[in-house]
């Protein structure tokens, strides 16, 4: 009995050791793996990764949500000044290749809404540049201009004379852009004075337009019939806008809806052009804060 008990007792430690050693080996391997020094990513690699992520985020935001647009000409006066910076909503009508920078053909055309009369839209012209105008005619509409009045589907668009539009002469609107006979001095400052009218489209959309040159090329036109899938666009500064009244390449002609990139949403900033990069105080004096936040 005693020898049997000793044998049993002597076997216990060996069994325990057999069961314990594999665990210790596994733990040791795991600890060794954890103790190995990790390869550190270089600062250049991290910077490039951050910049790529930032660029991708900006690209997605600009292509599908909202994009900036600056006003380069006077064709949309009095609503838009040269030097205005807008935010353009990209989602109201849908997406196409023109939603992407440079019109890269990576997107199918997906449209769930059409521009409405009176919308101010940014579109890619047939000359392959971004342009901003106001939608006046929709598919199936007939349009003609007689004596400066827009005739839409046989009916004259109501046009009411309102107070003159007075625009200060600034580096962004020099005296050379003011038509002959419209320049004057007001309170010791040079300005340009325009006749202003208010048009009201069917449905109630109302906006101001300018008439600077009675009898100009665009004041009397033929009859236009807007084809399916297209829109007819006009600039608010009627005598200084090469729009759908004029065929390409002189003007815009009818614009396919698929080329409309977005709808103007709000004025984000505006400058009169007098700022100088090396004179920071002029950045503030050149700003036109009263224009910031104006909607459409």
């Amino acid at each position: 009995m005693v020898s049997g008990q000793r044998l049993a007792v002597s076997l216990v430690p060996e069994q325990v050791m057999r069961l314990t050693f594999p665990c210790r080996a596994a733990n040791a391997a795991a600890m060794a793996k954890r103790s190995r020094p990790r390869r550190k990513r270089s600062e250049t690699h991290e910077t490039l990764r951050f910049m790529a992520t930032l660029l991708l985020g900006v690209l997605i935001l600009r292509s599908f949500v909202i994009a900036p647009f600056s006003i380069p000409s006077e064709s949309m006066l009095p609503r838009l000044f040269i030097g205005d910076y807008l935010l353009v909503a990209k989602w109201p009508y849908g997406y196409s290749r023109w939603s992407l920078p440079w019109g890269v053909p990576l997107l199918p055309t997906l449209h769930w809404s059409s521009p409405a009369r009176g919308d101010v839209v940014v579109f890619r012209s047939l000359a392959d540049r971004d342009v901003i105008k106001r939608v006046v005619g929709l598919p199936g509409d007939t349009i003609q201009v007689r004596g400066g009045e827009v005739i839409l589907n046989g009916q004259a668009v109501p046009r009411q004379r309102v107070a003159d539009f007075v625009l200060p002469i600034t580096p962004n609107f020099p005296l050379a852009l003011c038509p002959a006979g419209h320049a004057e001095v007001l309170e010791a400052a040079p300005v340009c004075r325009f006749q202003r009218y208010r048009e009201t489209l069917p449905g109630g959309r109302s906006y101001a337009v300018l008439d600077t040159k009675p009898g100009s090329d665009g004041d009397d036109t033929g009859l236009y019939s807007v084809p399916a899938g297209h829109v007819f666009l006009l600039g608010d500064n009627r005598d200084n806008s090469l729009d759908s009244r004029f065929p390409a390449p002189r003007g815009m002609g009818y614009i396919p809806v698929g080329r409309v990139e977005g709808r103007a949403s709000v004025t984000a900033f505006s400058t009169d052009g007098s700022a100088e990069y090396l004179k920071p105080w002029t950045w503030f004096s050149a700003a036109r804060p009263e224009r910031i936040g104006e909607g459409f």
Side-chain angles (χ1 to χ4, degrees):
M1 293 294 293
V2 174
S3 59
Q5 290 176 354
R6 287 178 180 173
L7 180 60
V9 172
S10 64
L11 291 175
V12 170
E14 294 178 6
Q15 294 172 348
V16 172
M17 292 297 288
R18 292 193 194 100
L19 295 173
T20 304
F21 280 154
C23 296
R24 287 181 179 177
N27 291 339
M31 290 179 64
K33 186 176 180 180
R34 286 197 298 267
S35 63
R36 292 175 188 167
R38 293 184 178 179
R39 296 176 62 184
K40 293 183 178 179
R41 291 176 178 171
S42 67
E43 184 176 343
T44 301
H45 179 272
E46 290 296 334
T47 301
L48 291 176
R49 183 181 178 186
F50 170 76
M51 294 301 294
T53 303
L54 180 63
L55 182 62
L56 180 61
V58 170
L59 179 64
I60 292 173
L61 182 70
R62 188 189 185 284
S63 300
F64 301 106
V65 183
I66 203 158
F69 185 82
S70 60
I71 302 303
S73 75
E74 70 275 20
S75 69
M76 282 296 289
L77 285 171
R79 174 58 188 87
L80 297 175
F81 292 12
I82 299 174
D84 283 355
Y85 291 82
L86 314 179
L87 294 179
V88 177
K90 302 298 290 285
W91 69 87
Y93 310 126
Y95 302 109
S96 71
R97 60 175 292 189
W98 306 110
S99 302
L100 299 175
W102 309 292
V104 180
L106 297 178
L107 285 179
T109 299
L110 300 171
H111 279 98
W112 43 79
S113 180
S114 297
R117 291 192 190 98
D119 285 356
V120 175
V121 300
V122 172
F123 61 96
R124 186 65 60 92
S125 72
L126 300 179
D128 202 28
R129 60 190 180 91
D130 290 340
V131 184
I132 187 166
K133 301 291 181 190
R134 190 181 297 276
V135 176
V136 174
L138 302 178
D141 285 346
T142 59
I143 298 175
Q144 187 175 17
V145 182
R146 299 179 196 157
E149 283 190 320
V150 176
I151 311 299
L152 180 61
N153 295 325
Q155 300 293 322
V157 172
R159 189 178 189 224
Q160 179 185 4
R161 182 79 160 85
V162 293
D164 286 349
F165 174 65
V166 178
L167 183 65
I169 300 298
T170 66
N172 269 346
F173 191 87
L175 192 59
L177 292 181
C178 186
H182 290 257
E184 60 181 72
V185 175
L186 184 65
E187 297 180 357
V191 299
C192 194
R193 184 182 294 273
F194 300 92
Q195 291 185 353
R196 178 165 49 180
Y197 296 83
R198 179 159 293 279
E199 285 184 352
T200 304
L201 292 171
R205 294 288 291 274
S206 180
Y207 49 88
V209 299
L210 300 182
D211 188 357
T212 58
K213 303 172 187 175
S216 66
D217 289 351
D219 278 351
D220 291 279
T221 71
L223 183 67
Y224 307 97
S225 296
V226 185
H230 293 68
V231 288
F232 189 94
L233 303 152
L234 292 175
D236 292 345
N237 190 358
R238 292 291 161 76
D239 297 320
N240 287 283
S241 177
L242 295 175
D243 43 45
S244 291
R245 292 171 293 178
F246 308 97
R250 181 189 178 192
M252 303 296 164
Y254 306 115
I255 296 298
V257 173
R259 283 182 171 263
V260 176
E261 301 175 34
R263 184 176 64 204
S265 178
V266 67
T267 302
F269 186 70
S270 184
T271 175
D272 65 14
S274 63
E276 298 181 39
Y277 287 109
L278 299 180
K279 297 179 180 179
W281 59 90
T282 64
W283 303 349
F284 301 96
S285 60
R288 296 182 285 215
E290 70 279 1
R291 297 192 56 72
I292 298 174
E294 288 187 353
F296 291 82

Short mmCIF file of all heavy atoms in Angstrom, two decimals, residues 19-74:
data_model
loop_
_atom_site.label_atom_id
_atom_site.label_comp_id
_atom_site.label_asym_id
_atom_site.label_seq_id
_atom_site.Cartn_x
_atom_site.Cartn_y
_atom_site.Cartn_z
N LEU A 19 1.60 19.18 -18.61
CA LEU A 19 0.47 20.08 -18.91
C LEU A 19 0.87 21.54 -18.87
O LEU A 19 0.29 22.39 -19.54
CB LEU A 19 -0.68 19.83 -17.93
CG LEU A 19 -1.34 18.44 -18.01
CD1 LEU A 19 -2.32 18.27 -16.86
CD2 LEU A 19 -2.03 18.28 -19.34
N THR A 20 1.85 21.87 -18.07
CA THR A 20 2.22 23.27 -17.84
C THR A 20 3.15 23.80 -18.91
O THR A 20 3.04 24.92 -19.36
CB THR A 20 2.84 23.43 -16.44
OG1 THR A 20 1.94 22.94 -15.47
CG2 THR A 20 3.16 24.90 -16.17
N PHE A 21 4.11 22.97 -19.37
CA PHE A 21 5.14 23.46 -20.29
C PHE A 21 4.59 24.04 -21.60
O PHE A 21 5.06 25.07 -22.06
CB PHE A 21 6.14 22.36 -20.58
CG PHE A 21 7.18 22.19 -19.48
CD1 PHE A 21 7.80 20.97 -19.28
CD2 PHE A 21 7.50 23.27 -18.67
CE1 PHE A 21 8.75 20.83 -18.28
CE2 PHE A 21 8.43 23.13 -17.67
CZ PHE A 21 9.07 21.89 -17.46
N PRO A 22 3.61 23.40 -22.24
CA PRO A 22 3.08 23.98 -23.48
C PRO A 22 2.51 25.38 -23.27
O PRO A 22 2.67 26.26 -24.10
CB PRO A 22 1.99 22.99 -23.92
CG PRO A 22 2.41 21.70 -23.29
CD PRO A 22 3.03 22.06 -21.99
N CYS A 23 1.85 25.63 -22.17
CA CYS A 23 1.28 26.95 -21.86
C CYS A 23 2.38 27.98 -21.70
O CYS A 23 2.31 29.11 -22.18
CB CYS A 23 0.42 26.88 -20.61
SG CYS A 23 -1.03 25.82 -20.82
N ARG A 24 3.42 27.55 -20.96
CA ARG A 24 4.53 28.47 -20.75
C ARG A 24 5.20 28.82 -22.08
O ARG A 24 5.58 29.98 -22.33
CB ARG A 24 5.56 27.84 -19.81
CG ARG A 24 5.08 27.77 -18.36
CD ARG A 24 6.16 27.17 -17.49
NE ARG A 24 5.74 27.13 -16.11
CZ ARG A 24 6.46 26.58 -15.11
NH1 ARG A 24 7.65 26.03 -15.42
NH2 ARG A 24 6.02 26.58 -13.88
N ALA A 25 5.34 27.84 -22.95
CA ALA A 25 5.96 28.09 -24.25
C ALA A 25 5.13 29.06 -25.09
O ALA A 25 5.66 29.97 -25.73
CB ALA A 25 6.14 26.77 -24.99
N ALA A 26 3.81 28.85 -25.06
CA ALA A 26 2.93 29.73 -25.84
C ALA A 26 2.98 31.15 -25.29
O ALA A 26 3.03 32.13 -26.04
CB ALA A 26 1.50 29.20 -25.81
N ASN A 27 2.95 31.25 -23.95
CA ASN A 27 3.02 32.58 -23.33
C ASN A 27 4.33 33.26 -23.64
O ASN A 27 4.38 34.47 -23.90
CB ASN A 27 2.85 32.46 -21.81
CG ASN A 27 1.43 32.05 -21.43
OD1 ASN A 27 0.52 32.24 -22.24
ND2 ASN A 27 1.26 31.50 -20.24
N ALA A 28 5.41 32.51 -23.63
CA ALA A 28 6.71 33.09 -23.92
C ALA A 28 6.78 33.60 -25.35
O ALA A 28 7.32 34.66 -25.63
CB ALA A 28 7.80 32.05 -23.66
N ALA A 29 6.19 32.84 -26.29
CA ALA A 29 6.19 33.25 -27.69
C ALA A 29 5.37 34.52 -27.89
O ALA A 29 5.77 35.43 -28.63
CB ALA A 29 5.65 32.13 -28.57
N ALA A 30 4.24 34.55 -27.19
CA ALA A 30 3.38 35.74 -27.31
C ALA A 30 4.08 36.96 -26.75
O ALA A 30 4.01 38.06 -27.32
CB ALA A 30 2.06 35.50 -26.59
N MET A 31 4.75 36.78 -25.60
CA MET A 31 5.46 37.91 -24.99
C MET A 31 6.61 38.36 -25.88
O MET A 31 6.86 39.57 -26.02
CB MET A 31 5.99 37.51 -23.62
CG MET A 31 4.89 37.31 -22.58
SD MET A 31 5.53 36.81 -20.97
CE MET A 31 6.48 38.25 -20.54
N ALA A 32 7.28 37.44 -26.52
CA ALA A 32 8.38 37.80 -27.40
C ALA A 32 7.88 38.59 -28.60
O ALA A 32 8.50 39.55 -29.05
CB ALA A 32 9.11 36.54 -27.86
N LYS A 33 6.70 38.16 -29.11
CA LYS A 33 6.12 38.86 -30.26
C LYS A 33 5.73 40.28 -29.92
O LYS A 33 5.94 41.22 -30.67
CB LYS A 33 4.90 38.08 -30.77
CG LYS A 33 4.32 38.64 -32.06
CD LYS A 33 3.18 37.77 -32.53
CE LYS A 33 2.61 38.34 -33.83
NZ LYS A 33 1.50 37.50 -34.32
N ARG A 34 5.15 40.40 -28.67
CA ARG A 34 4.73 41.74 -28.25
C ARG A 34 5.92 42.63 -27.98
O ARG A 34 5.85 43.85 -28.11
CB ARG A 34 3.85 41.64 -27.01
CG ARG A 34 2.44 41.13 -27.28
CD ARG A 34 1.53 41.45 -26.12
NE ARG A 34 1.97 40.79 -24.90
CZ ARG A 34 1.52 39.60 -24.50
NH1 ARG A 34 0.65 38.95 -25.27
NH2 ARG A 34 1.94 39.05 -23.39
N SER A 35 7.02 42.04 -27.57
CA SER A 35 8.19 42.83 -27.20
C SER A 35 9.00 43.29 -28.40
O SER A 35 9.89 44.11 -28.27
CB SER A 35 9.08 42.03 -26.25
OG SER A 35 9.58 40.87 -26.90
N ARG A 36 8.69 42.74 -29.62
CA ARG A 36 9.43 43.17 -30.80
C ARG A 36 9.10 44.63 -31.11
O ARG A 36 7.95 45.04 -31.09
CB ARG A 36 9.04 42.31 -32.00
CG ARG A 36 9.51 40.87 -31.91
CD ARG A 36 8.97 40.08 -33.08
NE ARG A 36 9.24 38.67 -32.92
CZ ARG A 36 8.67 37.73 -33.66
NH1 ARG A 36 7.80 38.07 -34.61
NH2 ARG A 36 8.96 36.46 -33.46
N PRO A 37 10.06 45.42 -31.41
CA PRO A 37 9.79 46.84 -31.73
C PRO A 37 9.01 46.97 -33.03
O PRO A 37 9.34 46.34 -34.04
CB PRO A 37 11.19 47.44 -31.86
CG PRO A 37 12.08 46.28 -32.19
CD PRO A 37 11.49 45.10 -31.49
N ARG A 38 7.91 47.76 -33.02
CA ARG A 38 7.11 47.99 -34.22
C ARG A 38 7.84 48.95 -35.14
O ARG A 38 8.52 49.88 -34.71
CB ARG A 38 5.74 48.57 -33.84
CG ARG A 38 4.88 47.60 -33.08
CD ARG A 38 3.52 48.22 -32.83
NE ARG A 38 2.64 47.30 -32.13
CZ ARG A 38 1.40 47.60 -31.77
NH1 ARG A 38 0.90 48.77 -32.05
NH2 ARG A 38 0.66 46.70 -31.14
N ARG A 39 7.63 48.74 -36.46
CA ARG A 39 8.23 49.63 -37.43
C ARG A 39 7.50 50.97 -37.40
O ARG A 39 6.29 51.05 -37.58
CB ARG A 39 8.14 49.02 -38.83
CG ARG A 39 8.93 47.73 -38.95
CD ARG A 39 8.73 47.13 -40.33
NE ARG A 39 9.22 48.04 -41.37
CZ ARG A 39 9.09 47.78 -42.67
NH1 ARG A 39 8.46 46.67 -43.07
NH2 ARG A 39 9.56 48.62 -43.57
N LYS A 40 8.22 52.02 -37.18
CA LYS A 40 7.62 53.33 -37.10
C LYS A 40 7.45 53.92 -38.51
O LYS A 40 8.35 53.83 -39.34
CB LYS A 40 8.50 54.26 -36.27
CG LYS A 40 8.58 53.87 -34.80
CD LYS A 40 9.40 54.89 -34.03
CE LYS A 40 9.46 54.54 -32.56
NZ LYS A 40 10.27 55.50 -31.79
N ARG A 41 6.24 54.50 -38.75
CA ARG A 41 6.01 55.15 -40.02
C ARG A 41 6.72 56.50 -40.03
O ARG A 41 6.71 57.22 -39.05
CB ARG A 41 4.51 55.36 -40.25
CG ARG A 41 3.77 54.05 -40.47
CD ARG A 41 2.30 54.32 -40.59
NE ARG A 41 1.57 53.08 -40.85
CZ ARG A 41 0.24 52.99 -40.82
NH1 ARG A 41 -0.49 54.04 -40.54
NH2 ARG A 41 -0.36 51.83 -41.07
N SER A 42 7.28 56.84 -41.17
CA SER A 42 8.03 58.09 -41.27
C SER A 42 7.07 59.28 -41.22
O SER A 42 5.88 59.17 -41.53
CB SER A 42 8.83 58.12 -42.57
OG SER A 42 7.95 58.19 -43.68
N GLU A 43 7.61 60.42 -40.86
CA GLU A 43 6.80 61.64 -40.80
C GLU A 43 6.29 62.01 -42.19
O GLU A 43 5.16 62.47 -42.34
CB GLU A 43 7.66 62.77 -40.22
CG GLU A 43 6.88 64.07 -40.02
CD GLU A 43 7.73 65.13 -39.36
OE1 GLU A 43 8.77 64.79 -38.78
OE2 GLU A 43 7.32 66.31 -39.43
N THR A 44 7.12 61.77 -43.20
CA THR A 44 6.70 62.07 -44.58
C THR A 44 5.52 61.20 -44.99
O THR A 44 4.56 61.68 -45.61
CB THR A 44 7.87 61.83 -45.54
OG1 THR A 44 8.98 62.66 -45.17
CG2 THR A 44 7.46 62.13 -46.98
N HIS A 45 5.57 59.91 -44.61
CA HIS A 45 4.47 59.00 -44.94
C HIS A 45 3.17 59.47 -44.29
O HIS A 45 2.11 59.48 -44.92
CB HIS A 45 4.82 57.59 -44.47
CG HIS A 45 3.75 56.58 -44.74
ND1 HIS A 45 2.72 56.35 -43.85
CD2 HIS A 45 3.53 55.76 -45.81
CE1 HIS A 45 1.91 55.43 -44.34
NE2 HIS A 45 2.39 55.04 -45.52
N GLU A 46 3.24 59.87 -43.02
CA GLU A 46 2.04 60.33 -42.32
C GLU A 46 1.50 61.62 -42.94
O GLU A 46 0.29 61.80 -43.06
CB GLU A 46 2.36 60.55 -40.83
CG GLU A 46 2.63 59.26 -40.06
CD GLU A 46 1.40 58.37 -40.00
OE1 GLU A 46 0.26 58.90 -40.08
OE2 GLU A 46 1.56 57.15 -39.86
N THR A 47 2.41 62.51 -43.33
CA THR A 47 1.97 63.77 -43.95
C THR A 47 1.28 63.51 -45.28
O THR A 47 0.22 64.08 -45.56
CB THR A 47 3.18 64.70 -44.16
OG1 THR A 47 3.80 64.97 -42.90
CG2 THR A 47 2.74 66.01 -44.81
N LEU A 48 1.86 62.64 -46.09
CA LEU A 48 1.25 62.31 -47.38
C LEU A 48 -0.10 61.63 -47.20
O LEU A 48 -1.05 61.90 -47.95
CB LEU A 48 2.19 61.41 -48.18
CG LEU A 48 3.48 62.06 -48.68
CD1 LEU A 48 4.36 61.03 -49.37
CD2 LEU A 48 3.17 63.21 -49.62
N ARG A 49 -0.21 60.78 -46.19
CA ARG A 49 -1.48 60.10 -45.93
C ARG A 49 -2.54 61.11 -45.51
O ARG A 49 -3.69 61.05 -45.97
CB ARG A 49 -1.28 59.06 -44.83
CG ARG A 49 -2.52 58.25 -44.52
CD ARG A 49 -2.24 57.26 -43.41
NE ARG A 49 -3.43 56.50 -43.07
CZ ARG A 49 -3.52 55.65 -42.06
NH1 ARG A 49 -2.46 55.46 -41.28
NH2 ARG A 49 -4.63 54.99 -41.83
N PHE A 50 -2.16 62.05 -44.66
CA PHE A 50 -3.11 63.09 -44.23
C PHE A 50 -3.55 63.95 -45.41
O PHE A 50 -4.73 64.25 -45.57
CB PHE A 50 -2.47 63.96 -43.15
CG PHE A 50 -3.26 65.20 -42.82
CD1 PHE A 50 -4.41 65.12 -42.03
CD2 PHE A 50 -2.88 66.44 -43.32
CE1 PHE A 50 -5.15 66.25 -41.75
CE2 PHE A 50 -3.62 67.57 -43.04
CZ PHE A 50 -4.76 67.48 -42.24
N MET A 51 -2.60 64.36 -46.25
CA MET A 51 -2.92 65.21 -47.39
C MET A 51 -3.83 64.49 -48.38
O MET A 51 -4.75 65.08 -48.94
CB MET A 51 -1.63 65.66 -48.08
CG MET A 51 -0.76 66.58 -47.25
SD MET A 51 -1.63 68.10 -46.78
CE MET A 51 -1.85 68.87 -48.38
N ALA A 52 -3.57 63.19 -48.60
CA ALA A 52 -4.42 62.42 -49.52
C ALA A 52 -5.84 62.30 -48.98
O ALA A 52 -6.82 62.43 -49.74
CB ALA A 52 -3.82 61.03 -49.74
N THR A 53 -5.97 62.07 -47.67
CA THR A 53 -7.30 61.98 -47.06
C THR A 53 -8.03 63.31 -47.15
O THR A 53 -9.23 63.37 -47.46
CB THR A 53 -7.17 61.55 -45.59
OG1 THR A 53 -6.47 60.30 -45.52
CG2 THR A 53 -8.55 61.39 -44.95
N LEU A 54 -7.29 64.41 -46.88
CA LEU A 54 -7.89 65.74 -46.96
C LEU A 54 -8.34 66.05 -48.39
O LEU A 54 -9.45 66.56 -48.60
CB LEU A 54 -6.88 66.78 -46.48
CG LEU A 54 -7.35 68.24 -46.48
CD1 LEU A 54 -8.51 68.42 -45.51
CD2 LEU A 54 -6.19 69.18 -46.11
N LEU A 55 -7.50 65.73 -49.35
CA LEU A 55 -7.83 65.98 -50.75
C LEU A 55 -9.06 65.19 -51.18
O LEU A 55 -9.95 65.71 -51.87
CB LEU A 55 -6.64 65.62 -51.63
CG LEU A 55 -6.81 65.87 -53.14
CD1 LEU A 55 -7.03 67.35 -53.41
CD2 LEU A 55 -5.58 65.38 -53.90
N LEU A 56 -9.15 63.95 -50.76
CA LEU A 56 -10.31 63.12 -51.09
C LEU A 56 -11.58 63.70 -50.48
O LEU A 56 -12.63 63.75 -51.12
CB LEU A 56 -10.09 61.70 -50.60
CG LEU A 56 -11.23 60.71 -50.87
CD1 LEU A 56 -11.47 60.56 -52.37
CD2 LEU A 56 -10.93 59.35 -50.25
N GLY A 57 -11.48 64.18 -49.22
CA GLY A 57 -12.65 64.77 -48.57
C GLY A 57 -13.11 66.03 -49.28
O GLY A 57 -14.32 66.24 -49.48
N VAL A 58 -12.17 66.89 -49.67
CA VAL A 58 -12.51 68.12 -50.39
C VAL A 58 -13.14 67.78 -51.74
O VAL A 58 -14.11 68.41 -52.16
CB VAL A 58 -11.27 69.00 -50.57
CG1 VAL A 58 -11.55 70.16 -51.51
CG2 VAL A 58 -10.79 69.52 -49.21
N LEU A 59 -12.60 66.78 -52.42
CA LEU A 59 -13.13 66.37 -53.73
C LEU A 59 -14.57 65.89 -53.61
O LEU A 59 -15.43 66.26 -54.42
CB LEU A 59 -12.24 65.28 -54.32
CG LEU A 59 -12.67 64.72 -55.69
CD1 LEU A 59 -12.60 65.80 -56.74
CD2 LEU A 59 -11.80 63.54 -56.08
N ILE A 60 -14.85 65.08 -52.60
CA ILE A 60 -16.21 64.57 -52.40
C ILE A 60 -17.16 65.72 -52.06
O ILE A 60 -18.26 65.82 -52.60
CB ILE A 60 -16.22 63.51 -51.29
CG1 ILE A 60 -15.47 62.25 -51.77
CG2 ILE A 60 -17.64 63.15 -50.89
CD1 ILE A 60 -15.28 61.21 -50.69
N LEU A 61 -16.72 66.62 -51.17
CA LEU A 61 -17.56 67.76 -50.77
C LEU A 61 -17.86 68.66 -51.97
O LEU A 61 -19.01 69.04 -52.20
CB LEU A 61 -16.85 68.56 -49.67
CG LEU A 61 -17.61 69.76 -49.10
CD1 LEU A 61 -18.80 69.28 -48.28
CD2 LEU A 61 -16.69 70.62 -48.24
N ARG A 62 -16.82 68.95 -52.75
CA ARG A 62 -16.99 69.87 -53.87
C ARG A 62 -17.81 69.24 -55.00
O ARG A 62 -18.53 69.94 -55.71
CB ARG A 62 -15.61 70.26 -54.42
CG ARG A 62 -15.65 71.36 -55.46
CD ARG A 62 -14.30 71.56 -56.11
NE ARG A 62 -14.32 72.68 -57.02
CZ ARG A 62 -14.86 72.67 -58.23
NH1 ARG A 62 -15.46 71.55 -58.65
NH2 ARG A 62 -14.83 73.73 -59.00
N SER A 63 -17.71 67.94 -55.18
CA SER A 63 -18.40 67.29 -56.29
C SER A 63 -19.85 66.97 -56.00
O SER A 63 -20.69 67.01 -56.90
CB SER A 63 -17.66 66.00 -56.67
OG SER A 63 -16.34 66.26 -57.07
N PHE A 64 -20.16 66.66 -54.73
CA PHE A 64 -21.50 66.14 -54.43
C PHE A 64 -22.32 66.97 -53.44
O PHE A 64 -23.52 66.75 -53.33
CB PHE A 64 -21.37 64.72 -53.89
CG PHE A 64 -20.70 63.78 -54.83
CD1 PHE A 64 -19.41 63.34 -54.61
CD2 PHE A 64 -21.35 63.33 -55.97
CE1 PHE A 64 -18.77 62.48 -55.49
CE2 PHE A 64 -20.73 62.47 -56.86
CZ PHE A 64 -19.44 62.03 -56.61
N VAL A 65 -21.69 67.92 -52.76
CA VAL A 65 -22.43 68.66 -51.73
C VAL A 65 -22.50 70.15 -52.07
O VAL A 65 -23.56 70.69 -52.36
CB VAL A 65 -21.82 68.45 -50.33
CG1 VAL A 65 -22.67 69.17 -49.27
CG2 VAL A 65 -21.71 66.97 -50.02
N ILE A 66 -21.38 70.83 -52.02
CA ILE A 66 -21.36 72.28 -52.26
C ILE A 66 -20.01 72.68 -52.81
O ILE A 66 -18.98 72.08 -52.48
CB ILE A 66 -21.69 73.04 -50.96
CG1 ILE A 66 -22.23 74.43 -51.26
CG2 ILE A 66 -20.52 73.06 -49.99
CD1 ILE A 66 -23.05 75.03 -50.14
N ALA A 67 -20.01 73.69 -53.69
CA ALA A 67 -18.77 74.10 -54.34
C ALA A 67 -18.70 75.62 -54.41
O ALA A 67 -19.73 76.29 -54.51
CB ALA A 67 -18.68 73.51 -55.76
N PRO A 68 -17.50 76.19 -54.36
CA PRO A 68 -17.36 77.65 -54.50
C PRO A 68 -17.40 78.05 -55.96
O PRO A 68 -17.05 77.28 -56.86
CB PRO A 68 -15.97 77.90 -53.88
CG PRO A 68 -15.21 76.64 -54.17
CD PRO A 68 -16.22 75.51 -54.10
N PHE A 69 -17.82 79.29 -56.19
CA PHE A 69 -17.83 79.83 -57.55
C PHE A 69 -17.63 81.33 -57.45
O PHE A 69 -18.32 82.01 -56.67
CB PHE A 69 -19.15 79.52 -58.26
CG PHE A 69 -19.18 79.95 -59.70
CD1 PHE A 69 -18.62 79.14 -60.68
CD2 PHE A 69 -19.75 81.15 -60.08
CE1 PHE A 69 -18.64 79.52 -62.02
CE2 PHE A 69 -19.78 81.55 -61.41
CZ PHE A 69 -19.22 80.74 -62.38
N SER A 70 -16.69 81.87 -58.24
CA SER A 70 -16.44 83.31 -58.23
C SER A 70 -17.01 83.95 -59.49
O SER A 70 -17.05 83.33 -60.55
CB SER A 70 -14.93 83.59 -58.13
OG SER A 70 -14.25 83.02 -59.24
N ILE A 71 -17.46 85.19 -59.35
CA ILE A 71 -18.10 85.90 -60.46
C ILE A 71 -17.03 86.68 -61.24
O ILE A 71 -16.41 87.60 -60.70
CB ILE A 71 -19.19 86.86 -59.93
CG1 ILE A 71 -20.23 86.07 -59.14
CG2 ILE A 71 -19.85 87.58 -61.10
CD1 ILE A 71 -20.90 84.95 -59.89
N PRO A 72 -16.84 86.33 -62.51
CA PRO A 72 -15.76 86.96 -63.29
C PRO A 72 -16.20 88.13 -64.16
O PRO A 72 -15.36 88.86 -64.70
CB PRO A 72 -15.27 85.81 -64.16
CG PRO A 72 -16.53 85.02 -64.43
CD PRO A 72 -17.41 85.18 -63.22
N SER A 73 -17.53 88.31 -64.36
CA SER A 73 -17.99 89.33 -65.29
C SER A 73 -19.25 90.01 -64.76
O SER A 73 -19.81 89.62 -63.74
CB SER A 73 -18.29 88.71 -66.67
OG SER A 73 -19.52 87.99 -66.62
N GLU A 74 -19.69 91.04 -65.51
CA GLU A 74 -20.85 91.83 -65.08
C GLU A 74 -22.16 91.33 -65.68
O GLU A 74 -23.19 92.01 -65.58
CB GLU A 74 -20.64 93.30 -65.44
CG GLU A 74 -20.70 93.62 -66.92
CD GLU A 74 -19.39 93.42 -67.66
OE1 GLU A 74 -18.52 92.68 -67.16
OE2 GLU A 74 -19.24 94.00 -68.75
#
